[in-house]
Amino acid sequence: MFYLLYLYYADIAQDYPLLHLIQYQTVRVALAMATAMIVAVAMGSRFINWIRAKQGRGQPIRDDGPVSHLSKVGTPTMGGLMILAGIGVAVLLWGDLTNPYIWIVSGVTAAFGVLGFIDDYAKVTKQTSAGLTSKQKLAAQAVVAVIAGVLTVVWMTYSPTSPGLETSIAFPFLKAILLNIGWFYVAFAAFTIIGFSNAVNLTDGLDGLAIVPVMMAAGAFGIISYLVGNFLFADYLQVHHVPGAGELAVFCAAMIGGGMGFLWYNAPPAKIFMGDTGSLALGGALGSIAVATKHELVLGIVGGLFVVEAASVMIQVGYFKLTGKRIFLMAPIHHHFEKMGWPESTVVIRFWIVAAMLALAGLATLKLR
């Protein structure tokens, strides 16, 4: 159906030369960003008022958290729906719907968004900061991530990529080394998607803290997607060429646009939180894009802030179980700095700066080989 619509549009473009501009990927990237932002902003106040009326007391606030967070009681959650709506409309309008990578990444994003919505719904209805159990979430994420990993491998196997690339891990800074792990790659891909989804989820604890680094990471991977999808650029930079992956730049642009529209209302003091609906979906999207572009390890650099946030929780829990003591005043680590006396705005902006530097460092791996 979508392919027939695409052909129909191509015929119309022949009669209206200005429409030929939309055939250029760079133009569609800009349009996707603008569309997603407009959709998210347009949902704005009406959506927030509606969701506040439905949720009543809003997202539950942790009792053991910083005292300053008590003022956020009553703030509605599930704002991720604004971002996902923007992404969905933008991709449907400006993405090449014949591209398998668009569907794989969109599928992961939508499935993780539904999972996050269920988790948020459980928190709001039960008025507790604990929604679904960790086992329930991990099981659902694993099913989706494994399917996405298998589909990515299968598609790459039958597309004109380098032999063995579909089940190999590429290394940053090294231009010729590939580690082919066979079908174990599916488990590695699933780990990347699940791990990054939960890392973004753990980072989403302060107004604007998660969404801006997500946009930075999406911007970096938009560039990476475009370059690895273009044979000439990939050959010049000596990175592995993945035909069709360049279309994911449109998806990344939609993520940035949707994020900007959401940030309009999430800027301190936040009128709405993205909730697990947004954080799980956006993290899963970035993870699946990294898998599709064969830059899984680079994601650890570009999204290093999220990695540190997740690591701080694992270190805190592990050390406490071994010794009964805590390393950080509170985990994730952004709460540690709040407990030290940093104002929330200071923590957020300094973390943004770190995220920006890491995104640039990740992009530098394209040339430093």
Side-chain angles (χ1 to χ4, degrees):
M1 174 182 174
F2 288 115
Y3 183 64
L4 293 176
L5 289 174
Y6 181 77
L7 292 177
Y8 176 68
Y9 166 77
D11 290 338
I12 294 177
Q14 299 297 324
D15 299 324
Y16 299 93
L18 188 61
L19 292 180
H20 280 295
L21 289 174
I22 302 176
Q23 297 180 12
Y24 292 99
Q25 192 178 79
T26 50
V27 174
R28 290 187 290 111
V29 163
L31 290 171
M33 186 183 301
T35 300
M37 182 178 67
I38 291 170
V39 170
V41 171
M43 288 180 69
S45 298
R46 290 184 179 180
F47 174 78
I48 293 171
N49 291 335
W50 177 80
I51 205 78
R52 181 184 287 112
K54 292 292 183 181
Q55 293 180 3
R57 289 180 289 175
Q59 177 172 300
I61 304 298
R62 287 176 59 177
D63 295 330
D64 59 343
V67 177
S68 60
H69 288 207
L70 296 178
S71 62
K72 301 182 181 184
V73 173
T75 305
T77 186
M78 298 184 187
L81 291 173
M82 298 166 63
I83 306 171
L84 297 181
I87 293 174
V89 172
V91 170
L92 287 174
L93 284 176
W94 310 116
D96 179 1
L97 301 181
T98 65
N99 186 297
Y101 296 121
I102 286 289
W103 286 107
I104 293 171
V105 174
S106 296
V108 171
T109 307
F112 278 29
V114 170
L115 177 63
F117 178 86
I118 295 171
D119 193 36
D120 285 336
Y121 185 80
K123 291 176 182 177
V124 171
T125 53
K126 297 176 183 177
Q127 275 302 297
T128 173
S129 58
L132 297 176
T133 66
S134 57
K135 290 183 179 179
Q136 289 173 326
K137 285 195 285 188
L138 284 174
Q141 288 176 313
V143 170
V144 175
V146 167
I147 292 174
V150 170
L151 290 175
T152 302
V153 169
V154 170
W155 173 250
M156 284 189 177
T157 301
Y158 293 100
S159 62
T161 57
S162 302
L165 181 63
E166 64 277 1
T167 54
S168 296
I169 301 172
F171 293 87
F173 305 111
L174 302 175
K175 61 185 178 182
I177 297 180
L178 281 175
L179 178 62
N180 194 330
I181 57 176
W183 280 95
F184 285 108
Y185 177 80
V186 172
F188 175 74
F191 174 80
T192 301
I193 296 170
I194 296 170
F196 213 74
S197 175
N198 289 306
V200 173
N201 181 237
L202 289 170
T203 306
D204 183 32
L206 302 178
D207 297 350
L209 177 59
I211 189 61
V212 172
V214 163
M215 289 190 290
M216 292 176 181
F221 266 91
I223 295 172
I224 291 171
S225 299
Y226 181 77
L227 295 175
V228 301
N230 185 296
F231 177 79
L232 295 177
F233 287 133
D235 183 60
Y236 172 72
L237 294 170
Q238 299 184 52
V239 296
H240 300 286
H241 175 48
V242 183
E247 193 63 25
L248 290 174
V250 175
F251 193 98
C252 290
M255 287 179 65
I256 297 172
M260 288 191 293
F262 171 74
L263 185 61
W264 185 265
Y265 301 98
N266 186 240
K271 294 182 179 180
I272 190 169
F273 301 138
M274 76 162 73
D276 289 6
T277 306
S279 59
L280 290 179
L282 295 175
L286 288 171
S288 55
I289 291 170
V291 168
T293 56
K294 308 305 294 183
H295 276 69
E296 306 92 345
L297 299 183
V298 173
L299 178 62
I301 301 174
V302 170
L305 176 68
F306 302 113
V307 175
V308 171
E309 291 272 16
S312 70
V313 174
M314 291 187 288
I315 292 171
Q316 182 88 321
V317 172
Y319 189 77
F320 184 79
K321 287 183 177 180
L322 288 173
T323 67
K325 299 179 181 179
R326 293 177 172 83
I327 293 179
F328 306 108
L329 296 177
M330 186 177 178
I333 199 169
H334 57 261
H335 290 317
H336 171 79
F337 290 108
E338 281 191 289
K339 290 281 190 178
M340 287 177 60
W342 289 19
E344 179 175 335
S345 58
T346 300
V347 177
V348 170
I349 292 174
R350 287 179 178 173
F351 274 44
W352 287 353
I353 294 171
V354 172
M357 297 304 295
L358 289 170
L360 292 173
L363 285 175
T365 65
L366 292 172
K367 189 58 181 171
L368 299 178
R369 294 173 180 267

